[in-house]
Amino acid sequence: MKYRAFSVSFLCLLCFATAKTLGSLKRGSSLSVEDDSDFLTSPDKSFTCGFHGVGTNAYWFSIWFTSSKDRTIVWMANRDKPVNGLGSRVYLSRDGSMVLTDVDGAIIWKSSTNSSTSTVAERAELLDSGNLVLKDPSGKILWQSFDFPTDTLLPNQRFRKTNKLISNLGRGDFGTGYFSFYFDNDNVLKLMYDGPDISSLYWPDLDYSVFQNGRNAYNSSRVAVLDELGSFSSSDELQFSAFDMGLRVKRRLSMDYDGNLRLYSLNSSTGLWIITWQAMVELCKVHGICGQNGICIYTPGPKCSCPPGYEVADPSNLNLGCKRKFKKRTCSKSQEEKFVQIPQVDFYGFDLNFSNTVSIDDCRQLCLGDCRCEAFSYRLNGEGRCYTKSALFNGYKSPDFVGSIYLRMPVSVEAPLLVTRLNALDSCKSTEAQKMGSASMYDNTSKRVRWAYLYWFATAAGAVEILFILSGWWLLFRRHGARAPIEDGYHVISSQFRMFRYAELKKATKTFKEELGRGASGAVFKGVLEDERVVAVKKLADIYQGEDVFWAEVSIIGKINHMNLVRIWGFCSEDKHRLLVSEFIENGSLDKHLFPPNFLGWQERFKVAIGVAKGLAYLHHECLEWVIHCDVKPENILLDSNFEAKIADFGLAKLTQRGSQSSMFSKVRGTKGYMAPEWALNLPITAKVDVYSYGVVILELVKGIRLSNWALEDSEEQEAELTRCVRIVKRKIQCGEDSWMEDMLDPRLKGQFSRKQAEKMVEIGISCVEEDRSRRPTMDSVLQDLLECEGESYVHL
Ligand SMILES: *[C@@H]1O[C@H](CO)[C@@H](O)[C@H](O)[C@H]1NC(C)=O
Ligand SMILES: *[C@@H]1O[C@H](CO)[C@@H](O)[C@H](O)[C@H]1NC(C)=O
Ligand SMILES: *[C@@H]1O[C@H](CO)[C@@H](O)[C@H](O)[C@H]1NC(C)=O
Ligand SMILES: *[C@@H]1O[C@H](CO)[C@@H](O)[C@H](O)[C@H]1NC(C)=O
Ligand SMILES: *[C@@H]1O[C@H](CO)[C@@H](O)[C@H](O)[C@H]1NC(C)=O
């Protein structure tokens, strides 16, 4: 790394000192690798074209942004064949083609200029768009670099069926990597991992059809373009925009070496790139990154890990995955075997068999009965879903995956039966990477591949940090890529969601007899359907929508499925009646358990904090449709028989607001005491309003009483009280005073709690109720923070 940084800054020094840059290259003249000031620049100086070197011995003929802080290459002629630092040159030959030669005169690259045309190229020019063109005397373009993209697409560069953006091998390692962005045979733009062992598509989401992903497979023109405003549109109907849409911003769309496709904007004052859109939200869902048997985990950046019973295949290349520590099973000889369960982990693909509505024992038997079966994935999701696997690739851990992988291995292998923690593999051997650019590097490519991955893992963490910082903006543009929201994960969608007749619900609820609760959005009644399912039926008040709009909205909500969200079974829309039917949650709402005279133990409280964070994080970041809850409060947090939290009433903000002729969130929703200040300030409503309400709830979980009860009835006073408490606690924490604990903690816990968890919860609560919403964290990062101290033992003080 150091090496490269040095050489880059050295080059730049030279280029500013003795700039002899050219506007165009005439036929017969050349750029020499030795002369570091031999460059072509675009008229507006945005782009530079010349030799880019790493170390002293590896040079690439390239085009880069002139003004970014670190040189950002947008095109390369010879990515897999760097030339020597002595004697190499590029020239415009007499036959009008551009030629790159190495020290020994060997032709390394040649522009494929069409020789059958009557004219020959007379000059090479670099245009303001970043396009290197060869022109004939009349100015006609005979060849352009835009037709041969490397890993980057620039504004106004047409992306066609013959083009591919292929990632680099790693940061600073320009060789052809494993990830590509291209038009597939079905006319749809895709991302694919094409590695030594497997190749696998991973975007758009394979669990949905082309149509459900918002794409179209019928337009065979296969052309896409990023316009100057930062809007991308394609013939397969993929459309997205940078969140900072507008003119005069330098942008690029790059297939990054970590497998994500990202749109960037250049901040002209800092020279740094800002991510303004990206294809993958969860980097661990990129395929191929951790090799066979490897599992991608977040720490919080993505890292590879090996399951128990397995070890790193090649410590110098974590991408090669993990190998068994035990002998592979022979089909002829039977042996005693066991299954090691790893919750929240799944491997994508290589399914031998899929069955639903089976018990875990059946699933185990299915795997044991098939010699090829290496593992099975099982989830209880209303019904048991069982996938047996013949090989383990594309492994990832995700808090949203409500199932486990069970790895099959001999009983003799030392491994716990339940694994809750996976350790990231040590990947910090980057010293080796500094050898890059030595003479040996380009006569042996296999080594280069190895270094590439060291870079990858050293830097992937950084990329994800940026991702977290930016995830607030996600909300603004994820909507554009709206895809059909379906159950989390697999192909089979058992849609139990349906429309009910009013008469049916009337009967089920015995004419709305047993009222469970009542809120601004309507009253809820208990009911029993004909199939004996116990349900909660909500009569919605204030619905202005027509039937079709209601139907569209409600079916979106109906398909949202997460263990921490109340499952919606269906709806009814007849005449003036609008009802929602959802699962019935046994233990009622959080307020009935937490606040005096009732009492909730510490473990349950922490579990609720995590559950609610998971549910909200899913709604904000994961869920395929953009959902802000707008009314997070203890009354809307239900507890099932295991005290697992389930959020109710999500999606209602949309149902009850839209179509009311005024702007989307004109009417104040939410509940006094839990409402973020921006409601009152008439600011646009973002997911940060939920973060605020969550902050109040998590503080209440610690304190065990309503925060609003700390003060008087008057609402202004209430807010002031919360702010005052928070201020005092903050000051005490800053001063290292321990007494804040007494202020914040429920005395009824009598010492039965985990101090570390309580501290974390207070810290999160305080940051969530920041007045300035940009300082509040996202639900994703809140969840990460909580999960970090999930394993804390329960301390009796
Ligand atoms: C060369 O140009 C001719 C005439 O414009 C065209 O028909 C032919 O397809 C071109 N060949 C290549 C390889 O581009
Ligand atoms: C196919 O896509 C192109 C580019 O987006 C568009 O101009 C063209 O009208 C589309 N054709 C059809 C039949 O929709
Ligand atoms: C560029 O970065 C500076 C410093 O971080 C920041 O103040 C400024 O707002 C940024 N400009 C844009 C357009 O993002
Ligand atoms: C999957 O398992 C079921 C139950 O054992 C069996 O009937 C079916 O044939 C299997 N399917 C495949 C494709 O192996
Ligand atoms: C490159 O390295 C591989 C493995 O280390 C070796 O087999 C091969 O001969 C080397 N190639 C050259 C050109 O040195």
Side-chain angles (χ1 to χ4, degrees):
M1 250 18 300
K2 236 191 273 165
Y3 213 137
R4 176 169 165 265
F6 168 72
S7 71
V8 170
S9 53
F10 182 61
L11 280 175
C12 282
L13 205 70
L14 279 177
C15 74
F16 289 126
T18 63
K20 184 196 85 182
T21 53
L22 305 163
S24 72
L25 189 69
K26 298 268 175 347
R27 185 152 34 141
S29 52
S30 66
L31 299 175
S32 152
V33 71
E34 281 119 348
D35 191 345
D36 282 327
S37 59
D38 255 2
F39 294 119
L40 278 178
T41 49
S42 60
D44 71 355
K45 309 266 183 295
S46 291
F47 291 93
T48 305
C49 171
F51 282 98
H52 172 70
V54 173
T56 54
N57 230 342
Y59 282 82
W60 288 266
F61 180 53
S62 344
I63 300 171
W64 59 85
F65 281 96
T66 311
S67 56
S68 66
K69 189 150 169 277
D70 289 320
R71 186 176 287 182
T72 309
I73 310 274
V74 298
W75 178 81
M76 253 184 195
N78 55 323
R79 70 188 301 186
D80 290 309
K81 285 189 258 173
V83 294
N84 203 291
L86 284 173
S88 302
R89 63 192 193 110
V90 65
Y91 59 91
L92 197 57
S93 71
R94 247 189 290 152
D95 70 0
S97 53
M98 206 162 196
V99 179
L100 171 67
T101 56
D102 206 344
V103 56
D104 55 1
I107 294 178
I108 298 298
W109 170 81
K110 191 172 177 199
S111 69
S112 53
T113 317
N114 195 337
S115 55
S116 71
T117 52
S118 53
T119 55
V120 287
E122 175 221 40
R123 61 185 194 274
E125 277 176 23
L126 183 60
L127 306 183
D128 284 343
S129 56
N131 193 5
L132 178 67
V133 298
L134 301 185
K135 286 182 172 170
D136 73 2
S138 70
K140 188 170 156 230
I141 292 175
L142 301 178
W143 178 92
Q144 55 178 350
S145 63
F146 265 18
D147 287 340
F148 305 91
T150 309
D151 65 347
T152 296
L153 193 74
L154 292 171
N156 294 326
Q157 177 175 7
R158 284 195 166 255
F159 189 73
R160 297 170 207 271
K161 60 180 92 181
T162 49
N163 296 147
K164 263 186 180 184
L165 300 184
I166 304 182
S167 69
N168 284 345
L169 273 167
R171 186 199 283 273
D173 189 342
F174 305 111
T176 304
Y178 297 137
F179 301 101
S180 53
F181 173 65
Y182 69 105
F183 276 107
D184 206 348
N185 291 336
D186 65 354
N187 303 324
V188 174
L189 278 170
K190 299 205 173 141
L191 293 181
M192 179 170 72
Y193 167 78
D194 190 6
D197 296 323
I198 57 162
S199 61
S200 183
L201 295 165
Y202 57 92
W203 182 86
D205 202 323
L206 297 167
D207 297 329
Y208 310 100
S209 69
V210 169
F211 176 73
Q212 285 167 331
N213 277 311
R215 307 290 187 88
N216 163 5
Y218 302 112
N219 190 332
S220 61
S221 61
R222 295 193 211 165
V223 57
V225 69
L226 174 68
D227 71 16
E228 260 164 78
L229 290 165
S231 220
F232 181 95
S233 61
S234 149
S235 59
D236 73 349
E237 286 176 9
L238 168 64
Q239 284 204 327
F240 60 81
S241 303
F243 70 73
D244 64 345
M245 258 181 73
L247 289 168
R248 282 182 289 282
V249 180
K250 293 193 172 60
R251 303 177 192 281
R252 64 185 167 100
L253 180 70
S254 297
M255 182 68 244
D256 286 337
Y257 59 86
D258 60 1
N260 210 348
L261 179 73
R262 298 190 179 88
L263 180 61
Y264 293 89
S265 300
L266 186 67
N267 181 326
S268 50
S269 57
T270 60
L272 299 176
W273 292 98
I274 303 159
I275 301 170
T276 56
W277 176 87
Q278 59 190 341
M280 304 291 294
V281 195
E282 284 188 89
L283 217 46
C284 276
K285 289 193 175 166
V286 171
H287 283 178
I289 49 181
C290 288
Q292 186 161 19
N293 304 317
I295 299 170
C296 179
I297 59 174
Y298 298 103
T299 65
K303 287 260 170 67
C304 289
S305 63
C306 286
Y310 290 79
E311 63 192 355
V312 188
D314 177 355
S316 64
N317 181 358
L318 304 179
N319 179 258
L320 291 181
C322 313
K323 60 179 189 225
R324 289 183 200 87
K325 287 203 254 179
F326 49 92
K327 277 219 195 75
K328 192 170 161 60
R329 168 179 50 259
T330 54
C331 290
S332 52
K333 216 169 75 194
S334 69
Q335 56 181 339
E336 267 199 276
E337 291 180 303
K338 66 176 174 183
F339 284 95
V340 172
Q341 178 190 4
I342 316 177
Q344 298 182 336
V345 168
D346 198 14
F347 287 87
Y348 191 93
F350 299 91
D351 297 343
L352 282 169
N353 201 330
F354 160 70
S355 25
N356 54 4
T357 64
V358 298
S359 71
I360 183 158
D361 275 333
D362 292 343
C363 194
R364 186 182 290 120
Q365 289 308 326
L366 209 58
C367 185
L368 285 173
D370 189 336
C371 173
R372 298 165 300 168
C373 179
E374 296 280 343
F376 69 88
S377 156
Y378 188 79
R379 326 189 282 145
L380 205 58
N381 198 358
E383 58 189 8
R385 298 182 162 200
C386 165
Y387 295 79
T388 53
K389 305 262 170 198
S390 62
L392 306 176
F393 277 103
N394 310 321
Y396 68 95
K397 182 175 170 115
S398 165
D400 295 318
F401 178 68
V402 290
S404 302
I405 189 85
Y406 295 80
L407 304 176
R408 182 179 184 181
M409 57 186 77
V411 278
S412 55
V413 178
E414 269 181 48
L417 285 179
L418 176 65
V419 183
T420 50
R421 213 178 191 85
L422 291 165
N423 293 321
L425 301 178
D426 177 21
S427 60
C428 302
K429 296 198 179 155
S430 47
T431 44
E432 205 185 332
Q434 291 175 12
K435 285 190 206 150
M436 221 187 110
S438 70
S440 70
M441 88 142 272
Y442 61 94
D443 38 58
N444 203 326
T445 43
S446 67
K447 273 211 182 112
R448 208 145 46 87
V449 174
R450 190 133 56 87
W451 294 330
Y453 283 97
L454 295 171
Y455 281 122
W456 197 99
F457 282 101
T459 51
V464 166
E465 269 157 36
I466 298 173
L467 202 156
F468 280 136
I469 294 166
L470 291 174
S471 55
W473 284 321
W474 267 99
L475 297 166
L476 299 174
F477 51 88
R478 276 207 65 161
R479 282 196 292 170
H480 298 294
R483 298 179 292 176
I486 316 273
E487 297 201 5
D488 51 344
Y490 289 88
H491 302 268
V492 183
I493 299 145
S494 65
S495 186
Q496 283 157 310
F497 181 76
R498 71 177 182 94
M499 189 156 102
F500 290 89
R501 316 281 331 161
Y502 186 70
E504 198 179 345
L505 295 180
K506 200 169 158 189
K507 186 169 158 223
T509 55
K510 302 207 176 94
T511 320
F512 307 101
K513 198 167 127 214
E514 191 179 339
E515 183 171 315
L516 294 169
R518 187 177 280 270
S521 56
V524 188
F525 303 88
K526 187 172 175 175
V528 182
L529 298 179
E530 281 194 336
D531 60 8
E532 296 184 342
R533 256 185 299 167
V534 185
V535 293
V537 178
K538 177 160 211 158
K539 274 183 148 174
L540 295 172
D542 290 346
I543 300 283
Y544 307 95
Q545 292 162 335
E547 200 144 326
D548 48 344
V549 180
F550 181 76
W551 160 242
E553 292 285 2
V554 95
S555 58
I556 287 171
I557 300 172
K559 286 169 186 165
I560 296 175
N561 185 12
H562 184 274
M563 68 177 296
N564 296 109
L565 299 174
V566 171
R567 187 88 165 91
I568 312 281
W569 294 125
F571 70 101
C572 165
S573 174
E574 266 177 45
D575 306 330
K576 290 242 141 36
H577 304 298
R578 299 284 186 274
L579 299 98
L580 279 184
V581 181
S582 58
E583 64 177 321
F584 174 76
I585 309 292
E586 300 85 347
N587 268 330
S589 56
L590 174 63
D591 56 310
K592 301 211 171 66
H593 293 271
L594 177 63
F595 301 132
N598 300 311
F599 174 76
L600 197 60
W602 182 257
Q603 272 167 324
E604 286 75 30
R605 293 190 196 193
F606 190 72
K607 196 166 157 184
V608 169
I610 287 204
V612 177
K614 280 183 181 168
L616 288 177
Y618 181 80
L619 286 177
H620 292 176
H621 305 285
E622 258 310 290
C623 179
L624 308 171
E625 176 83 357
W626 181 59
V627 178
I628 301 177
H629 189 294
C630 292
D631 198 11
V632 176
K633 57 180 175 180
E635 286 76 3
N636 280 334
I637 297 167
L638 306 182
L639 303 177
D640 73 4
S641 50
N642 294 319
F643 284 89
E644 190 70 58
K646 290 183 186 275
I647 303 171
D649 272 8
F650 58 90
L652 283 191
K654 281 180 115 181
L655 278 184
T656 50
Q657 297 309 313
R658 247 201 247 153
S660 59
Q661 301 298 324
S662 45
S663 71
M664 183 160 164
F665 287 106
S666 57
K667 197 167 117 189
V668 172
R669 256 185 73 89
T671 305
K672 257 192 205 173
Y674 299 90
M675 268 158 50
E678 52 263 35
W679 284 114
L681 300 174
N682 239 348
L683 291 170
I685 296 310
T686 66
K688 291 295 178 74
V689 301
D690 287 350
V691 175
Y692 183 95
S693 311
Y694 177 83
V696 179
V697 171
I698 199 172
L699 290 175
E700 288 181 341
L701 278 168
V702 180
K703 181 81 177 163
I705 59 167
R706 276 203 208 270
L707 284 183
S708 48
N709 284 354
W710 293 6
L712 307 163
E713 272 292 281
D714 187 338
S715 73
E716 266 177 30
E717 288 279 336
Q718 262 179 38
E719 303 304 333
E721 185 65 13
L722 176 66
T723 323
R724 196 181 62 83
C725 290
V726 166
R727 203 179 54 238
I728 292 172
V729 172
K730 256 187 182 165
R731 204 204 53 214
K732 284 189 175 174
I733 293 175
Q734 272 160 10
C735 304
E737 285 178 43
D738 269 353
S739 61
W740 66 266
M741 205 63 158
E742 276 72 79
D743 296 347
M744 291 307 292
L745 208 64
D746 187 348
R748 299 177 300 160
L749 286 165
K750 301 204 176 75
Q752 307 277 303
F753 69 103
S754 154
R755 189 175 181 94
K756 204 155 177 193
Q757 288 174 349
E759 280 173 3
K760 182 61 85 181
M761 284 167 75
V762 171
E763 187 189 308
I764 289 171
I766 289 175
S767 64
C768 287
V769 299
E770 283 277 357
E771 300 260 315
D772 175 0
R773 59 182 163 172
S774 66
R775 294 176 63 183
R776 293 177 211 149
T778 63
M779 285 318 298
D780 257 354
S781 66
V782 165
L783 179 58
Q784 288 295 334
D785 279 357
L786 285 174
L787 288 175
E788 263 165 37
C789 55
E790 190 181 18
E792 279 310 312
S793 56
Y794 171 69
V795 186
H796 297 255
L797 290 175

